[in-house]
Amino acid sequence: MKENVVIIGGGIAGMEAARQLLLLGYHPIVVEQKDRLGGHVGQWHRLFPDMASAQDLIRGLGEEISDANIFLETKVNSINRLRDGYQVMLSNGVNVACRSLLVASGFQLFDAARKEEYGYGVYDHVITNSDLEAWFNGKPDVRIPEVPENVGFVHCVGSRDLKAGNLECSKVCCMTAVKQAIEIKEKFPSARVWCFYMDLRLFGKKYEDFYLGAQQEYGIQFVRGRVSEVGETADGRLQVKAEDTLTGKPLRVRLDLLVLMAGMACNPEMTRLARMARLDIDSDGFLKSLDNIRSINASNRPGIFFAGACTGPKTVPETLAEARAAALDIHRYLQKGL
Amino acid sequence: MIYEGKQKIWKDYQKEIPDDHWYYVRSCIRQNFFPASERKFTDITRNDLGKDVYETPYHTTCGGIAYHCDAIPQETAMTIVARQFALMTESGYENYVPSCVTSFGNYVEILETWREFPELETRIREQLWKACRREFNKPKYLAHTSDLIYHWRNEIAEKARYRLIDKETGEPVRMAEHIGCHYAKMFPSKGIGGAEYPYVLAGMIESWGGQVVDYPERRHCCGYGFRQYHMKANRGYCVSNTHKKFESMEPYGIQAILTNCPGCCYFMDRWQYVISEQTGKTYGKDGFGIPVFTYEELAGLVLGYDPWDLGLQLHQVAVEPFLDRIGVEYDPKAKYLGLNKEDLLKPELPTNLKCF
Amino acid sequence: MTDFGFKLSKSSAVELDKVDTTLFERLCEASPDARICMNCGSCGATCTAGPYSGMSLRKVLLGLQRGQDVRPLLSGCMLCGKCTMVCPRGINTRNLILNLCRIYD
Amino acid sequence: MIDRVASGFHPFVIPFVAGMVFVLGYCFIGIFRILLQLPAEDRKRFFISLVTPKTILKNIRDIFCDCLFHVKLWKRNRLLGYMHSSIAFGWFMLIVLGHIEVILFLPHRIRLFYYPIFFNFFVAEADSTIQGSLLFFLMDFFLLIILSGIALAMYKRIRSRIFGMRRTARPSLMNRIGLYSLWAIFPLRLLAESFTAHISGGSFLTIPANWVFRQFLGNDLNLLPTWWAYSIVLDVFMVVLPFSRYMHIPAEMMLIPLRNAGIRVRNARKGFAKVQVLSCPNCGVCIDACPMSVDKANIKDCTVYLTRQLRRKNERRIEEISDKCLLCGKCEAVCQVGVEGPALRIQLRSERKYALSPDYSCIPDPPPAESAGEGKVLYYAGCMSRLVPSVGRSVESVFRKAGIAYEWIDRDGGVCCGRPMYLAGRLEEAEAIVRKNEAQILGYGVGTLVVSCPICYKMFKEKYDLPGIRIVHYIDYMQELLDAGRLKASRSDLCYVYHDPCELGRGMGIYEEPRRLLGRIAAITESPKNRNESICCGGSLGSLTLSFAKREKMTRAALENLYDGKADAIATACPLCLATFSRYADRPVRDIAEIVDAQTVGTITKTEAI
């Protein structure tokens, strides 16, 4: 009989970990709140830097974990400590005893409506990065004009912002903005695109190429200054104000579409789990790893491990790598126990 | 504009407002600009709505204007405020309502500061005691007079003689609202509707039949700016801000502006004259300006008060086109008659801004 | 006109979508490099003419995109090529300046 | 020898005569126009030079060496030299010998200028004389020489490598016609003379050929068509000549006296420049020499194509070619006729109209000269030196060790020397910078100006008016310090390969001094391409349009030339070469100033110092 490992969260972290645990000879039980696997990436269109299809990634992972036990639309009701493991009660009535648990509960997209000055949900043509990906995936969106003339991207929405309750950088938004700006230019070659940034944090492999390409081939303009407020003009367009910090002048621009790069916020479900399993929460609100260098996958509780964005903003490849590392950690933990 | 989106935000920013028993404090500058507004507030609340609104002649300025002009330190303002609270306490009230937005902001700021730094409150209490042997309780509820009118807007609407509807077309009157900066920009949670999409004035306009029109520079300062205006050299900067607002408003065909701050009402009214002198441009129809009202004046108008009793002749921008639009009855000849029906003589006319 | 002793001042705001960038676009046709500046400021920091005319190619390029008159900055340029040497994006700055001097009107 | 044709005329000479009249007329009009185009001052100088015995001798020598013997080509590659000089000199000799024949045997026909060319047709052998057979022998001999040259030329079309040329210029249509007619002239002459040899006589080539032909062609019917063909081909060649590269033959004869008269390029389209352009033989030697040609895409931007496009008046290409060039001067150094590629390009650049001109009034003038600077040395590092601070620091350190009182004029920024502006063709603007800088330098009141950048050095030497100031590159100055014993040098255990910077070597002719200085303190090895054939580092300010990425290829190619097994490090004497090479070099790159600084100590005590 194969040993159970409960994986909380069926996003890419949970899926990759399940795949690895299957290969290592365990019986992973994936618990997912939603009615589908894949999490945020599952709703994304293309992934930088290779512009690979997010759907293909999820489909591929999904096929490889068909032997795992997957509970969709299921929540964890309680986690109780046993003598050498945990008793996990699920909302579908299933009760699992396991010696090891993986928390892969991910993040929550920052609710852009909370940045009231940007008017998400108030103005007709303000959308988020996530809305844009959904549109790229074919979901109709009345907020996106047929042929937008002027398009703006606002970086750091809900990130690096005390007022939004998140001082940290969400890491992926700069690159996402550059990627999406390029994609917008591909869809609407005549559009003028401005990215409003505070710092361009393009740290990863090939990211700088994207930035250069965005300037060189697509003529996307980068304006250093955070958008201060958005208003709607008489003809239903948006008036966006910012300071061009490089010239020290206030800027005003009329746009047909404004895309807010909503950052990664803590998942409230994760906070609930932390309370149930008595896991430590870090100062940024995310789960606290045992340490942030060697043991990013380890929690303060024996047998409970972390993978992915539940400990902080991560890119897709980082999340996948962490999931693999966590699977190995679990394997080692369980081996040692035997 | 997605109206439901705004409603969602408005729902997030509501505050508890007791229905009765308010200790009322007047604005120091407002009585010079639009003296009837405060008087009519007491009339409307006491007579029309039957509320207990108490005031005492012993109260002073709250110190906010001097504080915002960098003329006094905050501690001085705090001590002044402490005395105001002492007067309220002595009068047996615990709901405090100032008529000035800057006062309101000043009170909120001071109460929040005391909450964060209780030792400061203790020191102010000592200073007040040393200065005038008074003691005070902090108000249980703090509201701005516009909050109260907002609170009672539907009762006013029920008693209203006129509605904000164009008599000719039957269309709602297109109105812009302008909120004083000190109302909620410092403490968004203290204003009805928050800081980005305040509802306090929009609620009145909607309730009385008008249509609220949003425009891009809605949030922008009226062009007073306290110490900016008080330095004559900086007044060009002040009026430029007002100019920016009116330029932004222009395409929307706005028929009137409702304000809740003494300075805003005054400057948005008077600067229209200065702008018209300097640029030759007016923003209303046929060479008129856009009339700017206080919420008391607008409440008074819909309730059927005589426009000249509401002091509307003290506005630079002529209000008659607006009165005609919603069908308010008035005697054009009585515009410049004093209380004793004595002729006050007509004021000198501007070059470009049409006044009648 | 009544003299109030003060005047409306012109807004310093840049209307990003309305500002006339024809010159910049024409420059980009001649020197596509103009688009890839990342505003690091190396050129201005090393500029021989910088202390005299305030020249900084970064300011010139940004100024053109914001509809500013950059001629006073350019006037001191001696074409020495130090900016070419330091530009991390490898922009051919001298050619760009020459092209700009040709098309400026 | 006796006249065979009583009238002294035959219709087949008409094509030749027509061609000759055309080409001579064309050339005379051309000379007249060019002389008119020359500035009055230059024209005067030219005429004076034509009557100055020294220049006359020089002109004759140069024309023989360059036009007939192709001495420069011999030096470059013997086979190439032989190929060119065999045709040029051989043909020259055929013409000369033809005239001698006419003078000797038919002096009354000397006025018919086609006679020397078609001599064999018009004569019949009476009784052979020693004179005649010798001349016939010489005629056949030189014809053979030419034919060998033609054979080589044909082979060169297939394999240019054995002539030391990797790439040659692609011939245009006119050049092809010219080329093929040139190739055809001499075999046809051989045929014509061979068919006529039994009448006119001949020598070791023509008589055996005549015998062979007569074995199977028993009559003289072939005689006339070959002479006709010979004349027609000559006509074709001469008619095509003004429109092909063969214009270089007459043009070079004009170029040599003009150059010897000391005339310089002042306008890229007219006068002297026009003669240079016409003098370009399209040999394509400049293609291999050009550092840009490491990239195939740039081959069409070499000087040979500039002259071609200038003749075609293709303005778009002229602008492209003139802007791209690094102005390293190597094409000029290897050019056998001396086409000044860089000077032509600078002039072409100067034709550009700019809507915006700089205004250097923002640079403040210095306070009036003070006498405090007397005896002091002024050091001008230059813009580029300030980007490689080691150069300035080393020069300064050497000054200190030698006890030299100095001022560093541009330590914290200064005025550019103006050469980059000059190279961009903005001559007036460069002039304005020069005047500004002169004022700055004179403000110090010094007697010596030491420069560390060859770019500045060339500019100071050629364009500055600094009365009473000696302008010296640190190479010379440091040598003097060592000679005077103010510095004591020790030898480095490193072996250096010295890279000749363009502006110092080809630009100023300074090749030996750096080697002498460096040789005193270190071992030197030479790279295959050195001195005036040194390869530009690719960083040159001369190019206006070459992108950074394209320059990289050139830099790497130049470094390849310097990678010598023996060399531990590369030495140079130009801050721009230093910065450019340092980017990609696999071994250390040092400025000679740095090496001198590292290898020397001061010999005098502080009190002795001035």
Side-chain angles (χ1 to χ4, degrees):
Chain A
M1 174 87 184
K2 287 177 179 173
E3 175 151 12
N4 288 335
V5 177
V6 173
I7 298 174
I8 303 169
I12 51 166
M15 292 173 89
E16 176 67 17
R19 186 172 82 96
Q20 297 295 333
L21 287 168
L22 277 172
L23 292 172
L24 289 166
Y26 296 94
H27 178 238
I29 299 162
V30 181
V31 185
E32 170 58 45
Q33 273 190 57
K34 296 246 167 61
D35 58 356
R36 50 161 192 88
L37 289 175
H40 293 281
V41 176
Q43 288 172 307
W44 231 245
H45 179 53
R46 288 198 285 176
L47 303 174
F48 57 76
D50 296 346
M51 299 305 251
S53 157
Q55 305 307 313
D56 289 352
L57 173 71
I58 300 302
R59 207 174 302 122
L61 283 174
E63 280 163 12
E64 291 188 63
I65 59 166
S66 50
D67 292 342
N69 206 345
I70 296 163
F71 295 122
L72 295 176
E73 294 181 90
T74 308
K75 278 188 171 192
V76 173
N77 273 357
S78 70
I79 301 171
N80 295 313
R81 184 87 171 101
L82 300 176
R83 204 169 52 83
D84 66 340
Y86 297 91
Q87 174 86 19
V88 183
M89 304 252 283
L90 302 179
S91 61
N92 59 3
V94 175
N95 219 332
V96 191
C98 59
R99 288 196 297 149
S100 184
L101 259 164
L102 178 69
V103 181
S105 53
F107 66 95
Q108 189 181 45
L109 199 73
F110 174 78
D111 176 14
R114 281 180 53 205
K115 289 295 288 178
E116 287 166 18
E117 60 269 40
Y118 296 159
Y120 180 67
V122 174
Y123 300 130
D124 292 337
H125 299 297
V126 182
I127 63 170
T128 63
N129 41 6
S130 165
D131 296 333
L132 188 59
E133 289 291 333
W135 183 72
F136 287 147
N137 266 333
K139 188 180 161 196
D141 195 328
V142 291
R143 294 169 295 186
I144 300 171
E146 227 156 85
V147 184
E149 224 175 273
N150 297 336
V151 181
F153 284 83
V154 186
H155 293 221
C156 298
V157 175
S159 310
R160 306 178 70 201
D161 183 351
L162 178 71
K163 300 285 171 64
N166 180 20
L167 277 174
E168 305 298 322
C169 167
S170 289
K171 211 173 186 179
V172 298
C173 330
C174 278
M175 185 52 205
T176 306
V178 175
K179 179 196 86 117
Q180 291 187 342
I182 290 174
E183 288 174 303
I184 280 281
K185 274 296 270 188
E186 281 171 348
K187 294 242 186 228
F188 309 111
S190 65
R192 292 193 287 174
V193 179
W194 289 277
C195 287
F196 294 91
Y197 69 95
M198 296 197 290
D199 294 301
L200 278 177
R201 300 192 160 187
L202 300 164
F203 54 87
K205 190 177 166 74
K206 289 192 180 176
Y207 291 11
E208 199 68 21
D209 296 355
F210 266 80
Y211 175 35
L212 182 63
Q215 289 181 300
Q216 203 164 27
E217 285 151 48
Y218 296 95
I220 292 159
Q221 293 196 46
F222 291 84
V223 181
R224 187 174 176 276
R226 196 184 177 107
V227 168
S228 65
E229 62 178 52
V230 180
E232 208 167 60
T233 62
D235 52 358
R237 302 172 80 198
L238 298 161
Q239 178 188 285
V240 172
K241 283 198 204 178
E243 185 191 335
D244 181 15
T245 58
L246 295 175
T247 57
K249 292 257 188 288
L251 289 180
R252 253 197 315 241
V253 60
R254 274 133 301 259
L255 301 176
D256 304 296
L257 179 65
L258 186 68
V259 187
L260 307 179
M261 306 314 295
M264 293 193 190
C266 326
N267 190 345
E269 177 62 13
M270 176 209 81
T271 322
R272 198 177 66 88
L273 276 172
R275 216 172 297 127
M276 278 191 276
R278 288 191 283 146
L279 295 168
D280 286 349
I281 299 280
D282 215 338
S283 59
D284 58 4
F286 286 88
L287 290 173
K288 187 173 182 178
S289 298
L290 208 54
D291 73 58
N292 289 313
I293 296 165
R294 276 195 67 197
S295 322
I296 201 125
N297 293 112
S299 76
N300 59 315
R301 306 280 291 158
I304 301 186
F305 294 89
F306 302 141
C310 61
T311 54
K314 304 266 158 64
T315 65
V316 170
E318 281 170 349
T319 303
L320 294 174
E322 261 187 29
R324 271 167 238 140
L328 266 184
D329 277 355
I330 290 170
H331 176 60
R332 230 172 35 137
Y333 174 81
L334 295 176
Q335 292 289 310
K336 212 167 58 183
L338 286 169
Chain B
M1 197 76 67
I2 306 160
Y3 192 70
E4 297 76 28
K6 276 193 177 175
Q7 281 178 316
K8 219 177 113 206
I9 293 173
W10 290 334
K11 235 181 269 158
D12 291 344
Y13 294 99
Q14 287 299 327
K15 63 180 184 186
E16 201 185 339
I17 298 171
D19 201 46
D20 209 348
H21 306 299
W22 288 91
Y23 179 78
Y24 179 51
V25 205
R26 295 198 186 209
S27 151
C28 42
I29 59 170
R30 206 171 173 212
Q31 302 184 56
N32 302 303
F33 301 160
F34 304 113
S37 284
E38 292 185 327
R39 168 71 191 276
K40 289 302 158 195
F41 175 77
T42 56
D43 287 354
I44 291 166
T45 50
R46 287 174 187 158
N47 306 340
D48 291 82
L49 304 171
K51 307 293 177 187
D52 169 24
V53 173
Y54 177 81
E55 63 173 331
T56 150
Y58 298 111
H59 84 72
T60 62
T61 174
C62 69
I65 190 164
Y67 169 57
H68 284 286
C69 287
D70 282 356
I72 59 167
Q74 199 189 17
E75 260 187 47
T76 310
M78 282 181 177
T79 318
I80 300 170
V81 164
R83 183 178 169 276
Q84 306 278 69
F85 289 161
L87 293 176
M88 172 195 76
T89 312
E90 287 161 19
S91 315
Y93 284 82
E94 50 190 12
N95 304 333
Y96 194 96
V97 60
S99 120
C100 169
V101 156
T102 292
S103 292
F104 176 70
N106 192 37
Y107 292 125
V108 171
E109 189 179 348
I110 287 170
L111 288 172
E112 288 297 309
T113 311
W114 286 349
R115 199 166 59 81
E116 288 275 336
F117 307 99
E119 68 283 1
L120 194 59
E121 184 187 336
T122 316
R123 193 156 85 230
I124 299 298
R125 283 182 186 279
E126 280 166 21
Q127 281 169 9
L128 183 69
W129 179 253
K130 278 182 200 158
C132 53
R133 294 282 182 268
R134 284 183 196 272
E135 285 177 303
F136 70 91
N137 295 332
K138 285 188 280 186
K140 196 167 169 192
Y141 290 98
L142 177 69
H144 180 244
T145 39
S146 64
D147 291 340
L148 293 195
I149 298 288
Y150 166 81
H151 182 70
W152 294 319
R153 70 193 186 282
N154 292 331
E155 288 173 54
I156 292 170
E158 276 165 29
K159 296 183 197 302
R161 199 173 139 197
Y162 304 106
R163 285 182 64 73
L164 300 175
I165 286 181
D166 192 316
K167 204 173 63 171
E168 301 278 312
T169 63
E171 298 281 319
V173 174
R174 296 173 63 76
M175 289 188 72
E177 39 97 31
H178 176 85
I179 307 287
C181 292
H182 298 152
Y183 175 69
K185 279 182 188 162
M186 298 184 289
F187 297 92
S189 62
K190 302 294 176 190
I192 290 164
E196 290 295 333
Y197 311 96
Y199 191 53
V200 59
L201 297 178
M204 294 180 205
I205 296 168
E206 282 179 0
S207 173
W208 301 337
Q211 185 197 347
V212 184
V213 180
D214 202 348
Y215 62 100
E217 298 294 355
R218 170 177 51 77
R219 302 169 177 95
H220 207 77
C221 167
C222 66
Y224 171 25
F226 288 80
R227 66 169 181 270
Q228 307 294 356
Y229 174 78
H230 292 293
M231 296 282 185
K232 191 173 174 186
N234 289 350
R235 279 182 199 168
Y237 169 61
C238 292
V239 69
S240 300
N241 279 287
T242 315
H243 183 238
K244 182 175 176 177
K245 273 188 87 75
F246 278 98
E247 284 293 310
S248 167
M249 228 182 271
E250 200 185 0
Y252 294 84
I254 286 166
Q255 292 156 350
I257 301 166
L258 184 60
T259 63
N260 72 341
C261 170
C264 301
C265 186
Y266 182 77
F267 283 96
M268 288 179 73
D269 179 55
R270 298 298 200 270
W271 281 146
Q272 285 193 64
Y273 152 66
V274 175
I275 291 168
S276 75
E277 288 295 312
Q278 296 197 350
T279 68
K281 195 164 175 183
T282 53
Y283 293 91
K285 252 191 145 183
D286 309 324
F288 284 95
I290 304 176
V292 188
F293 296 109
T294 68
Y295 48 94
E296 295 101 329
E297 286 168 349
L298 195 66
L301 276 179
V302 299
L303 284 169
Y305 282 77
D306 183 76
W308 312 137
D309 280 354
L310 285 166
L312 296 186
Q313 63 275 60
L314 289 175
H315 286 246
Q316 176 69 63
V317 175
V319 296
E320 286 89 335
F322 179 80
L323 301 181
D324 296 339
R325 191 185 302 278
I326 63 168
V328 171
E329 285 169 23
Y330 65 98
D331 178 6
K333 282 187 224 107
K335 185 169 180 181
Y336 296 112
L337 293 184
L339 286 176
N340 51 5
K341 303 293 171 206
E342 194 182 309
D343 192 357
L344 297 175
L345 300 180
K346 275 184 187 172
E348 205 179 317
L349 286 179
T351 323
N352 299 312
L353 185 68
K354 201 167 156 191
C355 288
F356 45 76
Chain C
M1 196 175 112
T2 318
D3 182 19
F4 297 94
F6 57 89
K7 276 203 189 93
L8 275 171
S9 48
K10 213 181 148 271
S11 170
S12 64
V14 175
E15 306 288 342
L16 204 48
D17 53 330
K18 291 179 186 161
V19 71
D20 180 16
T21 54
T22 338
L23 206 55
F24 182 73
E25 293 304 325
R26 279 174 64 199
L27 176 64
C28 288
E29 275 168 35
S31 293
D33 284 7
R35 290 193 194 283
I36 63 170
C37 170
M38 53 180 179
N39 284 297
C40 74
S42 312
C43 48
T46 195
C47 183
T48 302
Y52 305 118
S53 72
M55 172 63 179
S56 151
L57 191 61
R58 175 190 79 79
K59 282 188 192 164
V60 167
L61 288 176
L62 202 57
L64 284 175
Q65 292 173 74
R66 303 288 183 262
Q68 293 166 1
D69 181 8
V70 297
R71 280 172 296 187
L73 295 175
L74 271 175
S75 74
C77 173
M78 296 178 241
L79 223 59
C80 73
K82 280 177 85 184
C83 46
T84 311
M85 297 284 287
V86 298
C87 178
R89 277 272 170 98
I91 297 176
N92 188 347
T93 55
R94 294 173 75 234
N95 190 40
L96 197 149
I97 292 168
L98 283 172
N99 281 334
L100 183 56
C101 287
R102 267 174 104 169
I103 61 179
Y104 220 109
D105 40 30
Chain D
M1 299 282 172
I2 51 161
D3 250 337
R4 191 165 71 88
V5 182
S7 64
F9 174 78
H10 191 279
F12 83 81
V13 303
I14 293 173
F16 166 77
V17 171
M20 198 68 196
V21 168
F22 170 74
V23 80
L24 287 176
Y26 186 93
C27 289
F28 278 114
I29 295 170
I31 290 169
F32 188 67
R33 282 186 58 192
I34 281 162
L35 287 176
L36 272 183
Q37 285 169 354
L38 281 180
E41 183 195 334
D42 283 355
R43 200 161 44 234
K44 198 176 146 200
R45 187 180 285 183
F46 177 61
F47 288 136
I48 292 172
S49 81
L50 288 184
V51 292
T52 313
K54 212 177 122 190
T55 23
I56 295 173
L57 280 174
K58 194 170 187 313
N59 286 346
I60 293 170
R61 196 192 69 203
D62 284 357
I63 289 174
F64 265 89
C65 289
D66 293 355
C67 304
L68 296 179
F69 298 126
H70 290 91
V71 174
K72 282 187 192 160
L73 279 180
W74 276 95
K75 282 184 192 159
R76 169 150 219 93
N77 180 292
R78 280 187 203 158
L79 213 48
L80 198 65
Y82 175 76
M83 185 193 109
H84 283 90
S85 54
S86 64
I87 300 174
F89 184 65
W91 201 359
F92 173 75
M93 284 313 289
L94 285 186
I95 297 166
V96 171
L97 290 169
H99 280 81
I100 293 171
E101 283 177 330
V102 176
I103 294 166
L104 279 180
F105 302 112
L106 305 165
H108 59 286
R109 299 289 191 195
I110 193 66
R111 284 198 188 155
L112 299 171
F113 64 84
Y114 54 83
Y115 245 69
I117 309 301
F118 304 115
F119 183 78
N120 283 17
F121 178 84
F122 289 105
V123 296
E125 207 173 15
D127 49 286
S128 57
T129 60
I130 297 294
Q131 279 174 321
S133 61
L134 176 67
L135 283 170
F136 278 140
F137 168 78
L138 285 174
M139 287 297 244
D140 274 15
F141 173 73
F142 282 111
L143 188 60
L144 184 67
I145 298 275
I146 296 174
L147 287 171
S148 68
I150 301 278
L152 282 174
M154 289 175 174
Y155 188 60
K156 178 168 162 270
R157 282 285 122 201
I158 316 163
R159 273 187 61 108
S160 62
R161 241 168 228 275
I162 60 155
F163 296 85
M165 290 175 77
R166 286 204 311 128
R167 302 198 185 91
T168 56
R170 261 180 66 86
S172 61
L173 179 66
M174 280 298 179
N175 285 348
R176 265 176 218 276
I177 298 173
L179 180 73
Y180 297 142
S181 55
L182 180 65
W183 284 358
I185 287 171
F186 301 97
L188 282 171
R189 181 180 171 125
L190 176 65
L191 275 182
E193 288 191 341
S194 297
F195 280 123
T196 325
H198 64 289
I199 305 167
S200 65
S203 190
F204 65 93
L205 260 190
T206 39
I207 289 181
N210 182 272
W211 182 82
V212 171
F213 292 145
R214 289 180 75 81
Q215 295 308 306
F216 49 92
L217 298 167
N219 52 37
D220 290 342
L221 289 178
N222 304 295
L223 196 145
L224 212 50
T226 50
W227 282 105
W228 266 102
Y230 176 47
S231 172
I232 288 171
V233 168
L234 277 169
D235 173 72
V236 169
F237 180 71
M238 284 186 286
V239 169
V240 166
L241 183 134
F243 315 106
S244 70
R245 61 179 178 150
Y246 298 101
M247 188 61 196
H248 81 89
I249 300 166
E252 203 183 344
M253 311 241 230
M254 177 84 182
L255 176 70
I256 288 168
L258 281 170
R259 188 170 52 221
N260 287 343
I263 291 167
R264 317 198 68 154
V265 176
R266 294 209 229 178
N267 180 313
R269 317 269 180 166
K270 293 194 285 191
F272 187 44
K274 181 92 189 168
V275 182
Q276 282 200 3
V277 167
L278 295 175
S279 297
C280 171
N282 279 232
C283 67
V285 167
C286 51
I287 298 178
D288 282 342
C290 182
M292 297 197 301
S293 64
V294 290
D295 200 336
K296 241 180 152 180
N298 295 331
I299 287 178
K300 296 244 161 177
D301 299 301
C302 294
T303 303
V304 54
Y305 289 97
L306 176 66
T307 58
R308 184 178 289 182
Q309 301 298 353
L310 274 168
R311 290 181 72 174
R312 286 183 188 167
K313 299 195 167 57
N314 181 343
E315 291 303 326
R316 189 186 58 81
R317 285 288 295 132
I318 290 172
E319 181 171 330
E320 252 175 48
I321 296 174
S322 54
D323 282 3
K324 207 183 224 180
C325 174
L326 294 156
L327 304 184
C328 74
K330 196 170 166 186
C331 53
E332 189 184 339
V334 299
C335 182
Q336 47 163 340
V337 296
V339 175
E340 295 171 81
L344 284 175
R345 286 180 172 92
I346 291 173
Q347 287 304 326
L348 286 166
R349 292 174 185 184
S350 76
E351 290 173 1
R352 303 283 142 72
K353 295 276 172 286
Y354 291 93
L356 201 62
S357 282
D359 169 15
Y360 299 117
S361 58
C362 55
I363 303 172
D365 281 328
E370 32 174 311
S371 55
E374 268 174 45
K376 271 194 182 176
V377 162
L378 192 62
Y379 173 50
Y380 182 92
C383 306
M384 291 302 150
S385 296
R386 283 192 284 123
L387 284 178
V388 275
S390 57
V391 175
R393 215 177 43 206
S394 305
V395 172
E396 197 178 28
S397 160
V398 168
F399 282 159
R400 281 210 201 108
K401 282 190 278 191
I404 303 297
Y406 68 96
E407 290 274 356
W408 186 342
I409 180 170
D410 57 348
R411 185 197 294 274
D412 303 311
V415 180
C416 173
C417 68
R419 183 140 179 91
M421 190 62 100
Y422 181 84
L423 294 176
R426 303 197 72 180
L427 310 183
E428 279 171 35
E429 289 77 2
E431 176 86 12
I433 298 175
V434 167
R435 296 288 95 87
K436 272 283 170 191
N437 214 6
E438 274 172 1
Q440 305 282 336
I441 292 164
L442 290 172
Y444 282 83
V446 297
T448 307
L449 177 68
V450 177
V451 183
S452 58
C453 171
I455 307 167
C456 311
Y457 181 61
K458 187 171 168 67
M459 196 67 180
F460 280 128
K461 279 287 212 188
E462 293 179 352
K463 306 281 176 200
Y464 276 62
D465 180 23
L466 296 169
I469 299 181
R470 176 181 169 234
I471 300 155
V472 58
H473 191 270
Y474 76 75
I475 293 277
D476 289 330
Y477 195 75
M478 287 181 184
Q479 186 76 57
E480 286 166 20
L481 293 177
L482 280 164
D483 290 345
R486 294 185 81 100
L487 291 172
K488 216 178 92 198
S490 58
R491 281 189 77 79
S492 159
D493 37 4
L494 292 182
C495 175
Y496 287 94
V497 57
Y498 174 67
H499 164 77
D500 288 279
C502 308
E503 299 273 50
L504 198 63
R506 286 183 291 265
M508 295 305 293
I510 298 181
Y511 298 112
E512 296 312 320
E513 294 85 338
R515 288 179 168 79
R516 201 152 66 87
L517 179 61
L518 189 57
R520 260 176 109 148
I521 50 176
I524 309 184
T525 169
E526 291 292 342
S527 58
K529 300 271 182 204
N530 60 2
R531 293 192 164 82
N532 74 340
E533 294 212 9
S534 153
I535 305 171
C536 171
C537 69
S540 167
L541 291 167
S543 172
L544 299 179
T545 53
L546 272 180
S547 70
F548 183 74
K550 294 215 167 119
R551 286 167 184 259
E552 181 182 339
K553 242 183 174 173
M554 295 161 207
T555 309
R556 290 193 189 281
L559 279 168
E560 226 28 77
N561 174 53
L562 295 170
Y563 291 157
D564 181 283
K566 277 180 282 175
D568 305 303
I570 297 163
T572 187
C574 169
L576 192 49
C577 299
L578 179 66
T580 311
F581 281 147
S582 301
R583 244 176 249 139
Y584 312 111
D586 72 346
R587 58 199 75 186
V589 185
R590 298 275 175 269
D591 194 277
I592 289 182
E594 293 176 76
I595 308 167
V596 171
D597 182 35
Q599 298 305 132
T600 53
V601 286
T603 55
I604 48 167
T605 56
K606 254 211 168 120
T607 46
E608 279 179 275
I610 31 167

